[in-house]
Amino acid sequence: MTVDRMFVLCGHRGNMADSPENTLISFASAERIDVDEIELDVRTTIDGELVILHDRTVRRTAAAPTPFLDTPIERLTLEQVRSIDMGAGQRIPTFREALDSTSVLLQVEIKAPAAARPLARFLRDRHAEDRDRCLITSFDPLSLADFRDEWTGGARGLALHIPDVTDNWRDHADRLEVSTVYIPVPQLTTALVDELHDSGRRVAASLIEGPGDVRRIVQVDVDATASNSPAYARQLLASNDTFIARFPSFAPSITKNGLRQ
């Protein structure tokens, strides 16, 4: 890889260490601690609205009783989705709200195949500034293919999550012309990262949670990572001399709470 690389630190579902995941306040909290990117998950309601939710239901994340606890989100209307309390005064946001309320890069994961084409059509009609903030990702190659069939994507392109590097994922990556590959930290090797860099792709490590993870991603030389606690992750990265020598613009100075000075 050449010099002048930019490392991207992503807040996974916003700043989960501080706020309810995948909510507008979680995204705002992530921006306050100066993440480079926010990851969020897109699904659709029965009436066709793109909404932000990781799981298919809200059983894990709802903060108060709801008659829709175990109802798949794709069977609910937007009005029903809006009735669900996610904690801290938050409701499940639409993708439009998430886009409008953020300014950093976005990692937009297609969680439901049915969301792929509507997402592509929505972004296709947005201003270029918004489109080009978004890296479209999925674990499902068919979802990425559906998205790409509808619209080729913005400047950041498409990204494929690889849960198991022993699977036959290279054909999918080539066919979809993905710009980035996401690999779990324990499965990263220098040889694999070098192979992907040689093919012109960026490599992201998913997820980092402690010092050992940071040592691993520095050793294999990835381009990006995500964390549930991005302020802590930034501090760990900024305290690693090898990392800062490689990415000198990453964190010139940080305070105790993870904010840059």
Side-chain angles (χ1 to χ4, degrees), residues 162-207:
I162 310 299
D164 185 350
V165 297
T166 65
D167 286 344
N168 184 26
W169 53 268
R170 289 174 176 82
D171 289 344
H172 296 308
D174 290 341
R175 175 174 52 84
L176 294 165
E177 298 180 313
V178 300
S179 64
T180 307
V181 173
Y182 287 83
I183 299 173
V185 170
Q187 298 187 47
L188 287 166
T189 66
T190 301
L192 180 56
V193 173
D194 287 347
E195 173 195 338
L196 288 163
H197 282 168
D198 289 344
S199 71
R201 295 187 171 101
R202 290 173 60 84
V203 183
S206 181
L207 299 159

Side-chain angles (χ1 to χ4, degrees), residues 8 33 43 48 64 86 130 136 163 187 204 216 226 245 255 257:
V8 173
I33 62 171
R43 296 181 177 273
M86 303 302 284
D130 281 338
I136 308 303
Q187 298 187 47
R216 182 65 173 269
T255 63
N257 62 3

Side-chain angles (χ1 to χ4, degrees), residues 7-22 26-27 29-31 33-41 54 107 109 161 182-185 204-214 217 222-238 243 250 258:
F7 191 89
V8 173
L9 174 61
C10 177
H12 188 229
R13 305 177 208 166
N15 184 8
M16 292 174 62
D18 176 72
S19 306
E21 67 178 62
N22 272 330
S26 186
F27 302 153
S29 175
E31 290 212 15
I33 62 171
D34 214 10
V35 297
D36 305 297
E37 179 183 69
I38 291 169
E39 186 270 349
L40 50 80
D41 305 288
H54 181 273
Q107 183 190 140
E109 183 176 339
H161 285 270
Y182 287 83
I183 299 173
V185 170
S206 181
L207 299 159
I208 64 166
E209 302 300 343
D213 296 333
V214 170
I217 70 168
V222 301
D223 308 281
T225 193
S227 178
N228 294 327
S229 182
Y232 178 50
R234 179 172 288 285
Q235 290 176 332
L236 290 174
L237 290 165
F243 177 84
F250 176 76

Side-chain angles (χ1 to χ4, degrees), residues 59-108:
R59 168 164 285 279
R60 180 179 61 85
T61 51
T66 170
F68 308 120
L69 195 67
D70 294 308
T71 307
I73 205 76
E74 69 270 17
R75 298 181 188 171
L76 298 176
T77 65
L78 179 61
E79 182 180 7
Q80 290 170 325
V81 168
R82 290 293 208 192
S83 72
I84 301 170
D85 181 1
M86 303 302 284
Q90 295 297 290
R91 304 291 166 171
I92 295 172
T94 65
F95 179 60
R96 182 186 303 273
E97 290 171 334
L99 201 59
D100 289 343
S101 66
T102 57
S103 61
V104 298
L105 300 175
L106 295 178
Q107 183 190 140
V108 183

Side-chain angles (χ1 to χ4, degrees), residues 129-164:
E129 183 179 353
D130 281 338
R131 294 198 306 261
D132 291 344
R133 285 197 290 137
C134 296
L135 176 66
I136 308 303
T137 79
S138 184
F139 284 85
D140 177 28
L142 292 178
S143 292
L144 291 176
D146 283 347
F147 180 97
R148 192 167 181 262
D149 184 59
E150 199 74 33
W151 178 54
T152 54
R156 301 187 68 205
L158 306 179
L160 185 63
H161 285 270
I162 310 299
D164 185 350

Side-chain angles (χ1 to χ4, degrees), residues 30-57:
E31 290 212 15
R32 283 196 301 272
I33 62 171
D34 214 10
V35 297
D36 305 297
E37 179 183 69
I38 291 169
E39 186 270 349
L40 50 80
D41 305 288
V42 177
R43 296 181 177 273
T44 55
T45 62
I46 197 171
D47 46 355
E49 189 71 42
L50 294 165
V51 294
I52 309 303
L53 188 69
H54 181 273
D55 300 357
R56 195 178 176 204
T57 73

